[in-house]
Amino acid sequence: MLITQGLISKGILSSHPKYGSIPKLILACIMGYFAGKLSYVKTCQEKFKKLENSPLGEALRSGQARRSSPPGHYYQKSKYDSSVSGQSSFVTSPAADNIEMLP
């Protein structure tokens, strides 16, 4: 916001004749907020992955394993995936318990 206000006061950005610099400052504030949120996503994901008994952490860990292998290849589920929560929120057939096909 300070940068935007400085650019308006130097004449690089023009202010609105009726509303002044307020609309551009609000837009700069909103853009800064979302830029901060986007830059912190990876850090939050890593923190959730480190939680031991978290369903969200388990989902992030299994999602990372699926994304790291090439599409169309099979991967073996680890013992950790099936023993973390004791019960799964996903219903699978017995044949799909050990091997899954990735999209």
Side-chain angles (χ1 to χ4, degrees):
M1 281 184 29
L2 291 174
I3 294 171
T4 305
Q5 183 61 39
L7 292 173
I8 291 171
S9 66
K10 287 185 178 183
I12 297 172
L13 289 176
S14 62
S15 62
H16 192 274
K18 184 176 179 181
Y19 301 113
S21 63
I22 300 296
K24 290 186 179 169
L25 290 175
I26 290 173
L27 181 64
C29 180
I30 291 170
M31 290 176 62
Y33 174 79
F34 284 111
K37 286 286 210 181
L38 288 174
S39 69
Y40 198 64
V41 168
K42 289 281 186 190
T43 306
C44 289
Q45 285 179 349
E46 293 302 319
K47 287 182 179 183
F48 279 118
K49 286 178 189 177
K50 290 179 183 176
L51 295 175
E52 293 179 15
N53 295 324
S54 169
L56 181 58
E58 180 180 347
L60 288 171
R61 285 187 296 272
S62 67
Q64 182 183 20
R66 288 186 180 129
R67 275 182 265 140
S68 64
S69 63
H73 286 71
Y74 293 96
Y75 79 98
Q76 188 80 24
K77 274 188 160 182
S78 68
K79 292 179 184 177
Y80 182 75
D81 286 342
S82 61
S83 66
V84 169
S85 64
Q87 55 176 271
S88 175
S89 61
F90 299 104
V91 178
T92 60
S93 66
D97 284 342
N98 292 330
I99 299 176
E100 291 185 16
M101 173 140 180
L102 296 177

